[in-house]
Amino acid sequence: MRRLRTIALIGGRLVPAALVIGALALWPRIGAGGAAAGLGLAALLYGLSARGRAGLEARAGWAGSYRYGAVSAVILPDWMGFLWGGVLIALPFWAGRAGAGLHPSAVLTWPVGGAFLALSMIAARRAGVSLRLTPEGLESLTLLGGWRIDFDEIAEIRPWRRDLPGWVRALGAAAGALGNPTAAGAVMLARPSSGLEIGLKSGARRVIPGDAFEAATGAILRAAAARGVALAPGLAP
């Protein structure tokens, strides 16, 4: 199940991304109708891959598990990456269609377009997370596998906080410089993440992002407290 699920999560983004880029790059040749058909096919395959992944999880007993918000954490980053990345990659084709070869603007637009496309990989990681509580502890599916923690392995649960990576902030500034204030504003106004850090007796740690799993964090704290797990000051079940 996990291998098929990973294929659905990654392939369900690579294929739509390629279709979006192709439709936008070939727009001058295939016209608005052809481009719209390509975008529609990309959206259809994207939706089918999401339904296929959900079906695999349900058959494996993961229905009803805690997940990131589908729209804000997965779909919007995916399609922001597909569309803005596709536009930036297509721009040199549009500019160079009347002349010979590829327009030199590709040197500037393609790296930024690639960075936008990387947003879909962030979305894939989020879509791959499925968390559930068991009587013994926590289990999670991830993009490439999964993990399990028993309550007996936990030394302490502490608060956790992290800001956006610096390269994402730089991407927002680059988007603004290229005349894309919407994407730039979305990045620059993004707030830091917070949640729970689960410290294990082995010294390892796991982070549960609270802004994505708000309902799960409360359930985790209550279950951990009932099993006698130490909670850092300020954390209440």
Side-chain angles (χ1 to χ4, degrees), residues 16 102 166:
L102 190 66

Side-chain angles (χ1 to χ4, degrees), residues 42-136:
L44 175 63
L45 294 177
Y46 180 86
L48 289 175
S49 70
R51 291 198 64 175
R53 185 264 307 156
L56 289 171
E57 290 184 7
R59 286 194 292 273
W62 285 82
S65 57
Y66 297 106
R67 304 183 56 82
Y68 278 89
V71 175
S72 61
V74 178
I75 296 174
L76 287 179
D78 266 333
W79 283 92
M80 180 182 289
F82 296 161
L83 294 173
W84 286 116
V87 167
L88 288 166
I89 290 173
L91 278 174
F93 292 100
W94 299 346
R97 68 181 186 274
L102 190 66
H103 195 273
S105 62
V107 175
L108 297 175
T109 62
W110 282 11
V112 181
F116 269 105
L117 288 171
L119 292 175
S120 67
M121 289 298 101
I122 296 175
R125 288 188 61 187
R126 292 173 175 174
V129 176
S130 189
L131 178 70
R132 68 182 179 185
L133 276 168
T134 69
E136 295 78 23

Side-chain angles (χ1 to χ4, degrees), residues 105-214:
S105 62
V107 175
L108 297 175
T109 62
W110 282 11
V112 181
F116 269 105
L117 288 171
L119 292 175
S120 67
M121 289 298 101
I122 296 175
R125 288 188 61 187
R126 292 173 175 174
V129 176
S130 189
L131 178 70
R132 68 182 179 185
L133 276 168
T134 69
E136 295 78 23
L138 303 171
E139 283 185 297
S140 178
L141 296 175
T142 62
L143 176 61
L144 299 177
W147 52 263
R148 174 190 172 95
I149 296 174
D150 290 340
F151 288 122
D152 294 340
E153 301 177 64
I154 301 176
E156 185 184 37
I157 299 180
R158 301 178 288 269
W160 171 83
R161 182 180 176 86
R162 187 185 68 181
D163 199 356
L164 285 177
W167 70 268
V168 176
R169 297 291 186 189
L171 177 61
L178 289 171
N180 186 354
T182 302
V187 172
M188 301 308 290
L189 293 176
R191 58 189 177 88
S193 299
S194 61
L196 301 177
E197 179 182 299
I198 300 176
L200 304 183
K201 295 175 182 177
S202 65
R205 65 187 183 93
R206 288 284 181 185
V207 170
I208 309 296
D211 47 357
F213 297 100
E214 185 175 354

Side-chain angles (χ1 to χ4, degrees), residues 11-24:
R13 285 164 173 80
L14 291 179
V15 174
L19 286 170
V20 170
I21 292 170
L24 293 174

